Amino acid sequence: MPEPTELLPGTLEMLILKTLALEPMHGYGIALRIEQLSKGVFCVNAGSLLPALSRMERAGRVKTEWRATENNRRAKYYAITARGLKALESETAQWDRQIAAVARILQA
Amino acid sequence: MNIVRHFLLGLKALFAGERRSEELDEELATYLEAAAAEKMRTGQSYEEAMRNARLEMGSREAVKEKVRSVGWEAMAEGLWQDLRFSIRMLAKSRGFTSVAILSLALGIGANTAIFTLINELILKSLPVRAPQDLVSFGTEVGGGQMDGITPGPLDIFPYDFYQSVNGRSSLLEGMCAYASFTTQVSVRLSGATSEAAALGLSHLVSGNFFQVLRATPLMGRTLGLTDADAPDRQAVAVVSHAFWQYSLAEDPAAIGRRISINGTSFVIVGVMPANFYGIGLDGQVPDFWLPLTMQTEVILQPSLLGPHGLYWLHFMGRRRPGVPLGQIRAWITSRLQEYMIDRESATLNGTRRREIRRIFVDVLPGARGISNLRAYYEDPLMVLMGIVILVLLIACANLANFLLARAATREREFSTRLALGCSPGRIVRCLVTEALVMALAGGSLGLVLSFFATRGLIKFVVAGAAGHTALSAIPDARVLLFTLGISILTGVLFGLAPALRVQRLSMTPAEQASVRSAVSSGRRGRSVSRLLIAAQIMLSLMLLASAGLFGRTLNNLENRDFGFSRRKVLLVAFNAKFAGYKPEQVNALYERMLDGVAVVPGVRSVSISGSAPIRGGSWNSPIYFKTVAETLKDHSTLLDRVGPHYFETIGIALLRGRTIGPQDNANSMKVAVVNQALADYFFPKGDAIGQSFTVADPSVKGQFQIVGVVRNAKYVSPREQQQRMAYLPVMQLTGDDAYAYYLEIATVGEPLSVLTGVRRALAAIDANLPIVQVKTMVEQTDLQMANEILVSRLSSFFSLLALLLACIGLYGVMTYSVQRRSAEIGIRMTLGAQTGSVLRMILKESFVLLAAGIALGLPATLAVARLFQSQLFGLTPFDPTTLIASVVIISGVVLISAYFPARRAARVDPVVTLRYQ
């Protein structure tokens, strides 16, 4: 397993949205999912995840709900909103463009 | 949309603060548990897993803080915390806080008071719609003139000129005319002659006056064009709100009511709203606005409305939008020149024609209306504004110094907070918040103080005006904004000094270890505070010297030889016209009045005159001697009409010949007494006595033979140069000139003590004779120096205040500096320094500051004094007495306030201080 690294700047929100697009999750769930999906490359800690979630809630991209977890604790679940889906779409598109551009430069 | 949601969520978060914090706690707890559960799945023990999870998360509080700081409300919350913290800190040191707030309140209050007056007098527009389109024709301050208009600007016009220009220009939407003076009238509400008449103030205006101003009535209507287009219209009156309120008891049926003004019945057609004061912002608001065409009835003088009549009207116009003033100026000037050439066509020669070509009318923005008060007080108010700003600066410097000292004692607190991770910015914010809290508290208190101060000032400024004044002490939005602005500005100014110090603290943390070491740190802090002290000394010196200059100006004016005696003379203004006396009847009335008042106990002598001493000047006409060539350039002379014993009563010394006595009556030869200046001017070689002259004013008929020469006196203003004056016996004059308006009463003791007796004596002669005003001669002369009195009194008050503040500041800073250096002093004394030398060392510091303050203050004072040179009298801005006295006073005060802390320092017991360290 490679050493976990910090996220690329500006990608956290997009990754969170992507994660939530599959199903609503609580905070640690999101962190874990990002870590798993990136095969341990990215590691997100609470200090950056929770403020980001709070910011996105403010922006109306996610909504929250208190629900019981699988081991019957109350947890705050985050779900993506229509506005969030739209944001995910546009950010993904932008990301793809940037990646393509960087790749072109690197291959030149 | 987004912003709104942000705001609403923020508000929600703000109000749900406690619950939100709990929620966050809970979320973090579940987060931690979930993380631990995950780690346990990989085989870690519970304790191990929890520990690792905690490590990964880091400080919970830090996470919470980060989450919280997402919204705008975090900022607001932070400010609120700062605010509460600063109030707590301020409440802890009550003594300091109250001194600070009080000195700020004085400083800000003084600024607000003067600014309120400036706002009322200078900044405010007329209370009408679209005042910015109003234009005034000339500067428009009072007066009246028959002929002999000299080249230069003209602002006063005859009635037939108004008729010839009114409505004739496409540049103007309208143009109104109004009398250049307001007129006192006698008023009877019921119209019955048995009712005692009250006095009212009226203003004659053209029919379109209100339309041009765009002033709307509260009730009824304003004047209409047809009310004032011919003399035989129905007499109508528009009354002021104050008159309606006080004299008509807010009668809802006031419209249509008849009142008698000078014996003529007028119908009230309108009541103006409370904020309308007419066109002239002066001491007293007119009670009535009456049609110009009622002039004879209102002024009780022959008609001024005929062709080629008196120049007595001012104009105000409303320009069409976008019309430049220059165009209107060109138009009115050319019309005026045409008019004058036509008017003087009989005597016109080439020289005069060229002169007329140089007469012009200035067209100025008229939004502010006109105001004699403004013209009189504009400069002094600016001087006072400068003075109060200096006072506020001193208060600022003082507080900056105190706060610096406090910041120094709080260095440990700040260092601790910095070490605990508080950002320097946050500490600075706290300090500035503290300063702002003080400044705003001081500002609020200052606002209250200024209200009362302004009331006093207004009372002084409108001195003598009996009626309702348009000047108000109630602050309007502009004043409130001003006060808020200067409060914040002062807060930032004096709050910044200690804040900068903190900034420095945070830059050199290594220094912190030695904060209290014997060789005290913070040299820079001390040099800032010394700079502030020197600045305070400089500013105080400027204030003190200015106050001295104004005080001496006033003193020079007061001690000026007025030419008559100011003590023990009472002036009683009366009006026989209002009581219905015809010119033929007044001589008999005068005789009875003089006889009646003369026997009142305490009265030494009594006389009458047409104008009051040092006020008159309203009667000015050329006089011609048969024996003096007309080639003498200027024949103009001041005239006054006086009764018997006038000179004896007011104490004008007779130089040659005789004075006017009871023998000079309507049947005897016409005589005159002239002053020395007149005699010397017309007869530099011969004797004026025995010479006869005629008066150019057509209402004065016949030859007057000079029978006496009296000493020169001041006739209009204490500052005036010698003027020529001729006194004519009032009993020998006819028509309108037969009226005298003042009784002069010389008393044995206190002038006012005879007043009851005089009133009783006059009432016994005619109960209806209105006594318009009573003043002592001192009050009368003071009125001519009101402006100087105001500036002189206020500037001395403020300079004393400033001196006191500077003293407190210096004392505080010296005490503090001595305290901080006590260890140093202790060491010096252990090493053998003597009490005297320590005392000298400390005092030397103050000497240096004093010298620096004076070195800066003297040139600054001279520079500033040159600005108000024109307001000084009898001395130059470089008056050595004033400057030396100010320097001596400042030095004395500074050294005294430095001496006590220094003496305390010198008495330090070295053992005690060293152990204390």
Side-chain angles (χ1 to χ4, degrees):
Chain A
M1 206 164 97
E3 193 66 11
T5 61
E6 278 295 316
L7 277 175
L8 288 174
T11 55
L12 179 61
E13 282 203 18
M14 183 172 66
L15 297 186
I16 293 173
L17 286 172
K18 179 67 189 170
T19 320
L20 290 179
L22 306 175
E23 57 172 330
M25 257 180 266
H26 58 72
Y28 182 71
I30 299 172
L32 192 64
R33 181 63 62 86
I34 291 177
E35 201 179 324
Q36 285 169 350
L37 285 180
S38 69
K39 297 221 186 325
V41 174
F42 294 141
C43 136
V44 184
N45 63 23
S48 43
L49 181 69
L50 295 183
L53 282 169
S54 171
R55 213 165 23 239
M56 289 158 76
E57 187 185 357
R58 274 299 164 82
R61 294 178 176 184
V62 299
K63 57 186 182 208
T64 62
E65 193 189 354
W66 286 92
R67 253 202 255 163
T69 63
E70 50 267 38
N71 28 0
N72 255 341
R73 291 286 308 239
R74 228 165 69 93
K76 199 175 189 179
Y77 272 76
Y78 294 86
I80 194 161
T81 61
R83 191 190 290 267
L85 278 172
K86 219 188 280 168
L88 175 61
E89 213 167 284
S90 75
E91 277 182 34
T92 315
Q94 204 184 345
W95 175 252
D96 285 343
R97 265 206 315 283
Q98 285 172 349
I99 286 294
V102 172
R104 267 201 302 281
I105 294 168
L106 291 180
Q107 284 157 13
Chain B
M1 164 72 199
N2 233 342
I3 292 176
V4 175
R5 195 190 29 240
H6 244 285
F7 178 72
L8 288 178
L9 283 171
L11 269 191
K12 209 171 113 193
L14 209 54
F15 284 110
E18 201 57 26
R19 204 168 44 104
R20 194 155 162 264
S21 172
E22 277 167 24
E23 274 187 9
L24 251 176
D25 273 336
E26 196 177 346
E27 187 175 8
L28 283 170
T30 39
Y31 190 101
L32 210 59
E33 255 172 52
E38 185 59 32
K39 289 190 196 319
M40 280 162 75
R41 207 174 301 163
T42 63
Q44 296 180 0
S45 71
Y46 176 74
E47 286 76 20
E48 209 178 341
M50 276 308 269
R51 203 178 91 83
N52 284 334
R54 277 203 199 99
L55 270 179
E56 267 172 32
M57 182 181 282
S59 154
R60 268 199 208 198
E61 285 306 311
V63 175
K64 277 168 74 177
E65 191 60 43
K66 266 187 182 166
V67 174
R68 267 198 221 111
S69 64
V70 163
W72 63 266
E73 75 277 4
M75 183 78 174
E77 232 168 29
L79 286 180
W80 175 238
Q81 273 174 6
D82 287 357
L83 193 67
R84 277 189 319 188
F85 181 69
S86 354
I87 291 173
R88 268 208 312 277
M89 287 308 282
L90 291 177
K92 256 186 176 170
S93 43
R94 283 218 184 91
F96 164 76
T97 309
S98 34
V99 169
I101 290 181
L102 198 67
S103 60
L104 279 171
L106 287 172
I108 295 176
N111 274 273
T112 305
I114 301 293
F115 183 78
T116 309
L117 216 55
I118 288 183
N119 184 37
E120 287 289 316
L121 267 180
I122 301 172
L123 301 178
K124 264 193 183 170
S125 292
L126 288 173
V128 298
R129 267 177 298 138
Q132 69 281 359
D133 287 333
L134 291 174
V135 293
S136 75
F137 294 80
T139 45
E140 314 204 327
V141 263
Q145 198 166 354
M146 190 56 213
D147 262 313
I149 307 288
T150 52
L154 188 67
D155 60 4
I156 191 161
F157 312 98
Y159 184 68
D160 56 341
F161 177 62
Y162 172 65
Q163 286 175 310
S164 78
V165 291
N166 183 22
R168 299 292 165 78
S169 171
S170 58
L171 304 174
L172 298 170
E173 273 175 17
M175 184 173 181
C176 62
Y178 52 92
S180 64
F181 44 85
T182 51
T183 312
Q184 285 228 320
V185 290
S186 73
V187 187
R188 285 191 177 88
L189 295 181
S190 62
T193 40
S194 56
E195 182 199 328
L199 287 170
L201 195 69
S202 71
H203 197 190
L204 289 167
V205 300
S206 63
N208 60 353
F209 180 76
F210 294 94
Q211 282 86 328
V212 169
L213 289 184
R214 290 203 192 150
T216 39
L218 178 72
M219 282 164 59
R221 65 173 176 92
T222 56
L223 297 182
L225 280 178
T226 50
D227 291 323
D229 58 352
D232 56 352
R233 299 294 177 196
Q234 188 198 19
V236 294
V238 171
V239 304
S240 75
H241 190 268
F243 182 80
W244 177 64
Q245 192 172 19
Y246 298 117
S247 300
L248 300 179
E250 303 196 9
D251 180 2
I255 306 301
R257 217 171 131 169
R258 284 184 169 277
I259 51 172
S260 147
I261 295 176
N262 284 355
T264 307
S265 173
F266 281 75
V267 179
I268 296 175
V269 294
V271 176
M272 294 310 288
N275 68 350
F276 184 79
Y277 52 78
I279 204 149
L281 180 61
D282 281 314
Q284 201 177 347
V285 177
D287 298 303
F288 316 105
W289 289 274
L290 306 173
L292 265 186
T293 40
M294 300 304 297
Q295 175 255 321
T296 7
E297 289 82 357
V298 175
I299 311 187
L300 297 171
Q301 265 180 17
S303 175
L304 302 173
L305 305 176
H308 299 182
L310 187 77
Y311 288 76
W312 68 295
L313 297 172
H314 289 321
F315 295 167
M316 181 72 85
R318 182 173 280 281
R319 61 174 156 168
R320 290 196 193 282
V323 172
L325 296 180
Q327 241 174 19
I328 305 173
R329 179 182 193 268
W331 166 74
I332 190 81
T333 298
S334 76
R335 295 307 302 269
L336 178 71
Q337 291 175 352
E338 280 164 33
Y339 167 84
M340 290 183 73
I341 286 172
D342 174 56
R343 174 178 169 134
E344 297 177 25
S345 56
T347 57
L348 201 65
N349 54 23
T351 329
R352 180 60 185 159
R353 191 183 285 272
R354 275 193 297 282
E355 260 184 28
I356 288 178
R357 287 287 167 212
R358 297 215 312 274
I359 294 172
F360 63 91
V361 182
D362 237 347
V363 175
L364 306 165
R368 300 182 304 165
I370 51 156
S371 168
N372 292 326
L373 276 183
R374 181 189 303 145
Y376 189 59
Y377 280 112
E378 192 157 12
D379 290 345
L381 277 178
M382 291 304 160
V383 169
L384 287 176
M385 194 74 221
I387 285 176
V388 291
I389 286 175
L390 288 189
V391 171
L392 189 60
L393 279 180
I394 290 178
C396 250
N398 234 359
L399 284 179
N401 246 338
F402 279 135
L403 286 182
L404 262 180
R406 253 164 68 93
T409 54
R410 281 169 71 183
E411 260 173 19
R412 273 187 178 170
E413 176 202 329
F414 295 149
S415 313
T416 315
R417 285 168 70 183
L418 285 171
L420 287 178
C422 178
S423 69
R426 186 72 191 264
I427 295 184
V428 169
R429 214 170 76 189
C430 275
L431 285 174
V432 173
T433 312
E434 242 179 79
L436 282 179
V437 166
M438 277 194 282
L440 290 176
S444 321
L445 189 58
L447 205 59
V448 176
L449 290 182
S450 86
F451 173 74
F452 293 102
T454 313
R455 268 218 321 214
L457 280 176
I458 288 177
K459 232 184 207 162
F460 183 90
V461 163
V462 302
H468 176 73
T469 172
L471 298 176
S472 152
I474 298 167
D476 65 359
R478 193 183 289 149
V479 171
L480 290 178
L481 214 63
F482 171 84
T483 309
L484 182 69
I486 56 167
S487 303
I488 290 177
L489 198 68
T490 41
V492 170
L493 263 183
F494 71 75
L496 225 51
L500 289 176
R501 196 185 165 87
V502 170
Q503 204 81 46
R504 199 169 44 79
L505 253 185
S506 66
M507 281 187 295
T508 57
E511 219 184 54
Q512 298 324 306
S514 60
V515 164
R516 295 275 286 182
S517 65
V519 182
S520 95
S521 73
R523 283 223 171 270
R524 209 178 113 201
R526 243 171 62 205
S527 65
V528 169
S529 76
R530 284 153 120 175
L531 205 70
L532 287 171
I533 288 285
Q536 283 190 48
I537 293 174
M538 172 186 119
L539 294 174
S540 305
L541 177 65
M542 282 167 75
L543 281 177
L544 208 58
S546 308
L549 290 174
F550 287 123
R552 275 174 57 88
T553 294
L554 180 62
N555 198 36
N556 284 348
L557 287 174
E558 274 180 335
N559 292 339
R560 209 145 188 234
D561 182 8
F562 281 76
F564 54 84
S565 76
R566 297 173 57 209
R567 314 274 156 206
K568 298 188 181 174
V569 177
L570 191 67
L571 278 175
V572 178
F574 67 100
N575 197 320
K577 234 186 220 181
F578 291 168
Y581 286 89
K582 298 277 164 280
E584 309 82 69
Q585 303 169 316
V586 289
N587 278 0
L589 173 71
Y590 296 154
E591 275 166 22
R592 288 169 62 201
M593 283 170 68
L594 293 175
D595 292 346
V597 174
V599 296
V600 170
V603 171
R604 206 160 46 76
S605 150
V606 54
S607 186
I608 50 175
S609 69
S611 49
I614 202 90
R615 186 60 190 269
S618 52
W619 201 16
N620 190 333
S621 167
I623 60 171
Y624 297 106
F625 292 88
K626 253 187 255 153
T627 49
V628 178
E630 297 245 351
T631 48
L632 204 61
K633 195 135 183 72
D634 185 7
H635 286 257
S636 70
T637 301
L638 281 178
L639 295 171
D640 197 2
R641 38 187 190 268
V642 301
H645 307 304
Y646 178 77
F647 303 100
E648 294 82 344
T649 305
I650 73 164
I652 294 180
L654 179 71
L655 299 176
R656 291 191 298 279
R658 67 172 179 90
T659 59
I660 291 169
Q663 73 276 25
D664 300 309
N665 56 35
N667 307 317
S668 63
M669 184 189 69
K670 288 185 172 163
V671 297
V673 168
V674 299
N675 71 352
Q676 174 92 50
L678 186 143
D680 290 348
Y681 180 75
F682 287 108
F683 305 100
K685 294 197 187 85
D687 192 356
I689 291 180
Q691 304 284 350
S692 294
F693 62 84
T694 55
V695 180
D697 185 337
S699 64
V700 183
K701 295 174 185 70
Q703 296 263 340
F704 292 82
Q705 190 183 46
I706 297 175
V707 292
V709 176
V710 292
R711 267 193 71 199
N712 295 329
K714 300 287 165 215
Y715 305 109
V716 180
S717 140
R719 288 175 182 242
E720 79 190 14
Q721 296 302 314
Q722 271 326 316
Q723 302 206 60
R724 299 187 289 280
M725 171 63 114
Y727 301 89
L728 311 178
V730 66
M731 308 268 204
Q732 295 184 335
L733 299 176
T734 53
D736 216 47
D737 299 325
Y739 290 102
Y741 296 106
Y742 290 89
L743 261 176
E744 286 86 14
I745 301 164
T747 57
V748 179
E750 187 51 37
L752 283 172
S753 64
V754 302
L755 185 57
T756 328
V758 170
R759 276 190 193 278
R760 207 169 290 145
L762 291 178
I765 294 160
D766 183 348
N768 277 329
L769 189 70
I771 292 181
V772 182
Q773 210 170 36
V774 176
K775 272 204 198 97
T776 65
M777 192 69 100
V778 171
E779 287 169 338
Q780 174 74 7
T781 44
D782 277 355
L783 204 59
Q784 305 308 307
M785 297 182 273
N787 165 341
E788 286 86 0
I789 291 176
L790 182 74
V791 173
S792 160
R793 279 200 201 142
L794 287 184
S795 63
S796 17
F797 171 74
F798 287 133
S799 66
L800 287 182
L801 182 68
L803 203 59
L804 183 71
L805 285 177
C807 266
I808 295 175
L810 185 73
Y811 179 81
V813 167
M814 286 313 290
T815 308
Y816 166 72
S817 134
V818 163
Q819 249 171 33
R820 294 206 18 148
R821 292 173 69 184
S822 58
E824 177 200 333
I825 295 169
I827 293 171
R828 281 176 192 272
M829 293 183 80
T830 328
L831 295 178
Q834 293 301 304
T835 313
S837 70
V838 170
L839 194 66
R840 267 199 301 281
M841 178 185 83
I842 302 284
L843 278 180
K844 207 176 86 189
E845 225 182 275
S846 325
F847 260 122
V848 171
L849 295 180
L850 178 64
I854 290 174
L856 290 171
L858 274 181
T861 307
L862 293 180
V864 166
R866 280 171 63 113
L867 290 181
F868 55 73
Q869 187 161 19
S870 65
Q871 307 203 24
L872 301 180
F873 182 82
L875 72 171
T876 67
F878 312 104
D879 184 51
T881 323
T882 310
L883 291 179
I884 291 171
S886 316
V887 168
V888 167
I889 292 175
I890 276 267
S891 309
V893 166
V894 164
L895 292 181
I896 286 172
S897 40
Y899 176 73
F900 290 101
R903 198 182 56 172
R904 201 173 318 137
R907 289 194 183 155
V908 156
D909 181 348
V911 180
V912 173
T913 35
L914 288 181
R915 187 183 299 148
Y916 197 65
Q917 288 291 309

